Amino acid sequence: MTVHNRTSFLDRVAENLGRERRTEVQAPVYSVQPQDRVFQGATQDELIEKLEAQCSVIHTSFDRTTRAALGDSLQKVLASFEGSRKVISAGGPRLDEFGLPGIYDELREEGFDFRIWNDQEGDVTFAEQAGVGIVFSDITLAESGTVTLFNDKHNGRSISLLPETFIAIIPKSTLVPRMTQAARVIHEQEQKGNPVSSCVSFITGPSNSADIEMNLIVGVHGPVKAAYILVEDL
Amino acid sequence: MGIKIGDKPYAERIQAGIENSFMRQAVSSAQGRFRSGRLKAAEELGDWEDWRTLGEEIRHHTMENLDYYLHQLSEQVEKRGGTVFFAETAEEANAYVQEVAKKKQARKVVKSKSMVTEEIGLNEALEKSGCEVVESDLGEWILQLDEDPPSHIVTPALHKNKEQIRETFANKKGYTKTDQPEELAAFAREQLRKDFLEADLGVTGCNFAVAESGAVTLVTNEGNARMVTSLPDTHIAVMGMERVVPTWEELEVVVSLLTRAAVGQKLTSYITALTGTRLEDETDGPEDFHLVIVDNGRLKILGTEFQSALHCIRCAACINACPVYRHVGGHSYGSIYPGPIGAVLTPLLDGYEDHKDLPYASTLCAACTEACPVKIPLHEHLIRHREIIVEREQRGAKSEEWMMKGFAKWASTPAAYKMSTKMARTAMKPWTKDEQIEKGPGPLKGWTESRDFPAPAKKNFREWYKQREKRRGEA
Ligand code: SF4
């Protein structure tokens, strides 16, 4: 049995609410929808401006580049991190789409040690030792400066978590105003019978804490530094 | 530890809070920062009142249909390979977690900050069955090393300064570096990394669970909750039965309300939505997932006049707005839920007996109600509590007497006093007549029946109190 004590528990809930158990509920209609008004009608380029401005608030560097110049941008960001040369990267179709295998090979020649996440023994261990994790944003929220990752076999949870620094490659086409649009996509997929990924990570800059005398400390358990690279793909 | 902290009477705890001057300063500067952060973020969001209305409507709809949504949630979790346990009491919840731990032969358990596991005393239960339990949230870890209960929902170690933290690290963990916050944090990172990698079991709370998909959502900044749910093979999430939302669309709204109201951030660094177990072709994430849904006194609030207390999204905005909290600090409440929401919720969850002073830890200035992102009428609930206490236990005179003393103490802080009286005046207006509050109709009755209470605006409350004391002395 995988659900315990449900009937008695929910019966009591209904009883306290003074009615029979409900097996159907109409989707509610709310009186206001302020969430849809945020950046309503903004163009993709206007959203980029919002994103870039937000990056300074969330202690995250921001670069804008083209597909052709992605290699250079990546190299620049890696150099700015000045840390370990071990890099773990998400895999999947995006890798080829943005020509990353070639770029990674070039960087290997410069002494970087790249590993592509591929659902294998050793992925997590490598990520734990890596200095940099590279991910692709699936949906990017301009308002908060958030990258959304649907974690799966190509895109382990550890990539954006265990290394000391992390880089998110953001295809321009993934930009939306705010979390509202991302949530709607997931909701619609759910209704179509496409279940959500086992882990959805909304990541906004590096990890931080205010637990010691209310001082903001950037970098606690997760990455200490974060960089976003926006790539023109439209 | 359970919901109640310590056996000291409330007045004594307050005294201790007031005497700890560092804490008081820390609390008020934290409040100031949280408050201004919240106001700024709320402003940026635009239409804050519309957002609050939406938040209230979502929470109300969910509570009215709670059986339906909890059923849907449990179905979805099951579909995604998880196990769901509905627990009526803290003991049941703990026993279930202990059983899972035993089956897994778990030795080390890593946890991320969670009020509900604190409430049910899960750590003690796990320790009793031989597990080492590590709190991984920086603030909680500090407290755990020091065996100290938390004083604030959002920043639990608010009452400790960095020198005290350095000392704790040095004494308990052999730390040798300075009291620079960055160095302290880096040390915690290094120490806790080992724990994450070694742990057999990860335990988290749950900010919101999404009924339509079975996702358990955690709203954090440090990244420890992600560690706890990515590395150990088993993940147990414990949630209060009220922490569910219908769909992702509602999730998004309550998360936005939470992050803005709590810390003034648009979103925190990590909003993580975890659904069931990892898929077969995935490498990280748990292979075994359990969701424990806890009643522990919540059910009996449902269907009563206090139902909206269950709407609470634990943002602490009411706490940061509260002039009484500002003065006495978190530990004074004697509950793991401090501040106005704590004063409303604790007697409901744990009974009036041990907590009947709590509803008096308020000036009824309504700053809490105004701050609440889901519009819970907190001060009205407090008034209702007082009425009930007075009516049921005939204890009015004594509590009120005590309250006066409490007032006198915290009113000695000019800023706190000014703030509270300014707001109190608006709240009390309807019953103000010639500078005296006459026997208030309805809700205020319990409060004002034993004497005419001065309207706290025009005449300075402290002055009034001093005069009254003088009169007493002369009499
Ligand atoms: S009562 Fe309202 S303001 Fe207070 S913690 Fe709960 S949601 Fe936040």
Side-chain angles (χ1 to χ4, degrees):
Chain A
M1 196 160 79
T2 49
V3 180
H4 306 266
N5 307 338
R6 180 167 61 190
T7 307
S8 59
F9 193 100
L10 296 184
D11 282 351
R12 284 187 295 119
V13 171
E15 194 182 306
N16 273 48
L17 288 166
R19 54 166 175 73
E20 297 284 297
R21 283 273 299 276
R22 280 198 181 143
T23 50
E24 227 175 305
V25 170
Q26 285 286 317
V29 180
Y30 301 110
S31 69
V32 284
Q33 278 99 29
Q35 71 274 46
D36 289 325
R37 292 201 290 270
V38 180
F39 303 160
Q40 202 171 35
T43 65
Q44 219 62 6
D45 284 302
E46 284 163 349
L47 292 182
I48 292 175
E49 273 170 40
K50 301 280 182 196
L51 174 67
E52 183 168 5
Q54 178 64 10
C55 278
S56 63
V57 177
I58 59 169
H59 306 269
T60 299
S61 76
F62 179 86
D63 282 281
R64 192 171 172 172
T65 190
T66 59
R67 267 177 219 260
L70 178 57
D72 292 343
S73 301
L74 208 51
Q75 194 169 22
K76 210 177 75 199
V77 171
L78 285 171
S80 77
F81 283 164
E82 297 173 333
S84 147
R85 294 166 90 79
K86 243 180 156 170
V87 185
I88 178 94
S89 166
R94 286 271 172 79
L95 215 55
D96 286 322
E97 201 182 308
F98 288 92
L100 283 164
I103 295 172
Y104 289 171
D105 279 341
E106 277 168 37
L107 285 165
R108 278 191 184 105
E109 274 167 32
E110 285 173 33
F112 281 96
D113 181 6
F114 272 88
R115 180 182 170 115
I116 313 277
W117 188 276
N118 198 24
D119 163 36
Q120 264 162 33
E121 193 90 8
D123 280 345
V124 176
T125 318
F126 189 94
E128 214 282 311
Q129 293 157 359
V132 187
I134 300 180
V135 296
F136 302 97
S137 176
D138 290 307
I139 304 177
T140 310
L141 320 180
E143 180 198 36
S144 51
T146 304
V147 295
T148 310
L149 310 180
F150 296 124
N151 296 114
D152 64 15
K153 63 177 174 179
H154 298 301
N155 181 15
R157 304 174 190 200
S158 303
I159 304 172
S160 57
L161 180 63
L162 298 180
E164 251 186 60
T165 59
F166 105 103
I167 301 173
I169 297 175
I170 300 177
K172 182 176 169 183
S173 58
T174 63
L175 232 69
V176 297
R178 67 184 312 279
M179 196 177 172
T180 308
Q181 289 74 22
R184 194 156 294 154
V185 168
I186 298 168
H187 172 60
E188 283 163 4
Q189 288 302 318
E190 203 59 53
Q191 287 192 317
K192 282 186 200 149
N194 299 327
V196 66
S197 125
S198 67
C199 176
V200 183
S201 307
F202 296 93
I203 300 179
T204 306
S207 75
N208 63 75
S209 171
D211 270 354
I212 299 177
E213 292 193 2
M214 296 291 296
N215 287 314
L216 184 79
I217 307 165
V218 177
V220 189
H221 297 301
V224 178
K225 285 182 191 164
Y228 293 169
I229 304 177
L230 183 117
V231 189
E232 302 275 351
D233 68 331
L234 290 173
Chain B
M1 119 182 349
I3 188 164
K4 189 179 158 196
I5 302 172
D7 284 321
K8 272 195 241 162
Y10 182 66
E12 240 174 79
R13 288 193 303 261
I14 282 213
Q15 195 65 44
I18 291 170
E19 275 158 15
N20 186 342
S21 71
F22 167 77
M23 186 209 70
R24 196 165 68 229
Q25 205 197 327
V27 165
S28 62
S29 87
Q31 277 191 316
R33 254 188 273 183
F34 277 132
R35 276 167 55 86
S36 55
R38 173 169 59 82
L39 294 178
K40 188 161 164 274
E43 210 171 275
E44 280 172 0
L45 198 54
D47 315 319
W48 181 239
E49 282 313 303
D50 275 3
W51 278 91
R52 291 177 74 214
T53 303
L54 182 56
E56 183 192 19
E57 287 179 10
I58 288 172
R59 295 301 289 145
H60 180 76
H61 168 82
T62 312
M63 280 320 111
E64 286 296 314
N65 297 287
L66 191 59
D67 51 337
Y68 174 80
Y69 288 118
L70 285 178
H71 187 268
Q72 189 184 23
L73 172 68
S74 59
E75 289 285 291
Q76 292 303 320
V77 170
E78 187 182 25
K79 242 190 231 168
R80 296 295 295 263
T83 307
V84 183
F85 186 86
F86 285 90
E88 193 181 331
T89 62
E91 291 71 32
E92 274 178 37
N94 288 337
Y96 179 75
V97 176
Q98 283 172 314
E99 194 188 301
V100 174
K102 201 169 140 208
K103 259 193 226 148
K104 298 282 163 186
Q105 297 180 312
R107 306 202 65 86
K108 190 174 252 185
V109 179
V110 280
K111 280 187 68 208
S112 73
K113 188 173 114 186
S114 142
M115 299 299 294
V116 67
T117 56
E118 190 87 28
E119 174 192 318
I120 63 176
L122 182 62
N123 288 15
E124 288 83 348
L126 279 167
E127 276 159 11
K128 234 182 252 158
S129 36
C131 294
E132 182 196 347
V133 183
V134 182
E135 289 286 357
S136 62
D137 176 272
L138 182 53
E140 296 282 346
W141 191 60
I142 295 167
L143 296 183
Q144 194 186 28
L145 291 180
D146 247 5
E147 294 168 29
D148 212 0
S151 62
H152 190 277
I153 295 183
V154 177
T155 50
L158 198 53
H159 58 291
K160 287 213 180 308
N161 65 26
K162 57 189 184 197
E163 173 52 29
Q164 291 169 322
I165 295 170
R166 190 201 62 79
E167 240 169 66
T168 302
F169 284 8
N171 292 341
K172 302 284 162 96
K173 291 277 169 184
Y175 177 74
T176 53
K177 291 191 178 157
T178 71
D179 61 5
Q180 280 286 315
E182 286 74 17
E183 277 187 357
L184 293 167
F187 179 71
R189 175 190 175 98
E190 180 192 302
Q191 292 282 313
L192 282 160
R193 195 52 83 91
K194 283 184 234 149
D195 292 321
F196 290 127
L197 290 163
E198 284 169 11
D200 311 289
L201 199 68
V203 174
T204 68
C206 164
N207 287 96
F208 304 104
V210 185
E212 73 168 335
S213 73
V216 162
T217 311
L218 299 167
V219 178
T220 65
N221 267 321
E222 296 183 3
N224 55 319
R226 294 185 66 207
M227 295 283 181
V228 170
T229 56
S230 295
L231 298 175
D233 272 335
T234 303
H235 171 204
I236 302 177
V238 184
M239 65 181 270
M241 60 183 275
E242 81 285 8
R243 328 230 70 204
V244 61
V245 291
T247 75
W248 278 79
E249 296 199 286
E250 281 94 352
L251 171 74
E252 183 273 303
V253 175
V254 289
V255 164
S256 297
L257 286 168
L258 172 60
T259 57
R260 290 187 202 234
V263 275
Q265 284 170 291
K266 287 171 178 160
L267 291 181
T268 55
S269 294
Y270 302 118
I271 315 283
T272 312
L274 302 140
T275 308
T277 59
R278 70 170 181 239
L279 302 178
E280 231 167 72
D281 57 6
E282 290 172 348
T283 332
D284 50 5
E287 59 179 15
D288 196 7
F289 172 70
H290 301 259
L291 179 62
V292 182
I293 301 175
V294 179
D295 164 359
N296 200 34
R298 288 163 174 75
L299 186 74
K300 61 174 190 273
I301 304 174
L302 207 61
T304 71
E305 58 189 320
F306 293 107
Q307 183 168 314
S308 67
L310 295 174
H311 295 178
C312 175
I313 59 173
R314 303 284 189 274
C315 71
C318 57
I319 300 174
N320 294 322
C322 179
V324 175
Y325 178 88
R326 176 179 287 251
H327 193 66
V328 300
H331 285 166
S332 311
Y333 289 81
S335 164
I336 62 162
Y337 299 114
I341 183 60
V344 171
L345 211 51
T346 309
L348 295 172
L349 292 174
D350 203 31
Y352 285 104
E353 196 42 50
D354 284 337
H355 306 286
K356 51 192 157 197
D357 290 324
L358 276 186
Y360 290 89
S362 162
T363 65
L364 303 183
C365 70
C368 48
T369 302
E370 260 168 58
C372 179
V374 291
K375 290 192 180 175
I376 302 172
L378 291 159
H379 72 292
E380 288 171 26
H381 285 327
L382 289 175
I383 292 170
R384 224 7 232 147
H385 272 326
R386 292 182 185 185
E387 273 195 325
I388 291 171
I389 290 166
V390 171
E391 280 164 20
R392 278 199 203 155
E393 311 194 14
Q394 312 280 298
R395 212 177 151 278
K398 196 169 155 230
S399 282
E400 207 166 317
E401 183 75 9
W402 173 83
M403 178 189 62
M404 287 305 146
K405 288 193 192 126
F407 253 136
K409 293 222 172 69
W410 74 260
S412 65
T413 308
Y417 166 72
K418 232 160 102 197
M419 187 173 123
S420 73
T421 46
K422 227 169 89 203
M423 288 183 272
R425 197 166 150 72
T426 10
M428 287 182 169
K429 242 189 194 138
W431 298 284
T432 307
K433 199 181 100 195
D434 299 337
E435 301 304 306
Q436 295 277 314
I437 297 172
E438 298 285 349
K439 286 187 179 14
L444 262 179
K445 187 169 158 281
W447 209 43
T448 57
E449 67 185 0
S450 48
R451 70 174 72 86
D452 275 355
F453 200 76
K458 299 248 170 74
K459 193 189 235 173
N460 179 302
F461 192 104
R462 283 180 299 158
E463 240 168 59
W464 170 82
Y465 184 81
K466 255 192 264 158
Q467 279 176 9
R468 195 194 70 156
E469 287 299 282
K470 227 170 84 194
R471 275 202 305 274
R472 282 195 168 176
E474 283 161 7

